[in-house]
Amino acid sequence: MIAIVAALDAELSALERRARVRRIPSPPWPLMVEGTLAGRRVLLARTGMGRARAQEATAVLIQRYNPEAILSIGFAGSLVSERRAAHLVIARQVYALENPLREGPLTASNGLACDPALVELAVAAARQRRLAFREGASLTVPQVVSQPDVKERIGDTLPVEMVEMESYWVGRVTADRGIPVRRQRK
C-alpha cells in the first residue's frame, strides 16, 4: 500500500474524488481513508498543519498500516517568480529551516533526499499526463510565509524553490523507519 499524506482536506480532495475510497474506522485524527487509485491500493491521510502533527500522524500511519512508500503532497508557496498557482513541483530534496525567519542568517538542515525511484515514477506520470512540472527542492518552515520580502530572502539564500510546513517532518519520520518518501507540491 502507498500512503498519501497532506495537512489539509483540500489538499487530498481531488485524489479522494478519483479514488474509490471508504472511511476507515479510526479516531478523528489523523483522518484516513482507504481506496484504489490507478489500480493501486492507497491510504489517504490528513495530518494537520505543522511539525508536531505531521510527525505524529506519520508515525501513527506507519504503525497501523506499514506502507511500502509515503507520498507527501499539498500546497506550497513559490519562491520562483515564474511559478504561479497550480504549478506542479516534484521535489528531489527537502530541507527544514533551522532558525526563525526574522532572526539572523537563514540556515537549513541537511536535506533529505526523496527516493529516486519514486521521484522518477512521479516524473513519468506527469509526462504521461502531459502536465507542466518542474523538479526542485522544498524548504519546510514553521509558519505560513506570505510576505514577498521574506520569500525573496529565502529564495536568494537557500537552494529551494518552494516553502511548505510538513514535508521535511513526514520525511524525517519515514527515513527513520526506512520507508521511501517523495514530496510533490502544487
Side-chain angles (χ1 to χ4, degrees):
M1 172 193 309
I2 296 173
I4 303 172
V5 301
L8 306 172
D9 286 333
E11 296 168 322
L12 288 171
S13 62
L15 289 175
E16 195 168 346
R17 283 191 304 271
R18 286 182 176 82
R20 288 175 298 181
V21 298
R22 67 177 181 83
R23 296 240 178 246
I24 298 170
S26 65
W29 179 86
L31 178 65
M32 296 186 218
V33 296
E34 190 174 6
T36 304
L37 188 62
R40 298 280 316 249
R41 189 170 159 230
V42 295
L43 179 71
L44 305 179
R46 183 193 70 222
T47 65
M49 291 176 61
R51 177 182 182 166
R53 287 184 173 234
Q55 287 178 308
E56 184 179 345
T58 303
V60 166
L61 147 66
I62 291 169
Q63 180 183 20
R64 286 186 194 162
Y65 298 97
N66 194 29
E68 62 189 84
I70 295 179
L71 171 64
S72 175
I73 66 167
F75 306 131
S78 178
L79 302 174
V80 179
S81 61
E82 301 85 50
R83 303 286 170 262
R84 299 285 181 245
H87 281 193
L88 176 63
V89 178
I90 299 170
R92 288 194 171 273
Q93 194 88 8
V94 292
Y95 299 89
L97 189 66
E98 290 193 328
N99 56 332
L101 284 169
R102 297 273 180 203
E103 295 178 19
L106 296 175
T107 57
S109 64
N110 289 332
L112 291 172
C114 298
D115 183 84
L118 292 175
V119 170
E120 292 311 317
L121 281 173
V123 167
R127 285 186 177 133
Q128 181 182 18
R129 297 247 182 211
R130 296 189 174 142
L131 299 175
F133 72 95
R134 180 171 175 85
E135 295 175 58
S138 177
L139 179 68
T140 301
V141 294
Q143 72 266 354
V144 173
V145 177
S146 58
Q147 307 86 351
D149 62 317
V150 176
K151 285 184 173 184
E152 183 177 340
R153 181 172 171 232
I154 294 168
D156 289 347
T157 307
L158 300 171
V160 296
E161 295 192 34
M162 60 187 164
V163 291
E164 42 69 31
M165 295 175 57
E166 294 83 22
S167 61
Y168 180 86
W169 306 116
V170 170
R172 181 79 272 147
V173 171
T174 59
D176 290 347
R177 289 164 175 80
I179 297 172
V181 67
R182 180 179 74 218
R183 176 79 190 135
Q184 187 166 311
R185 290 281 164 173
K186 295 198 310 187

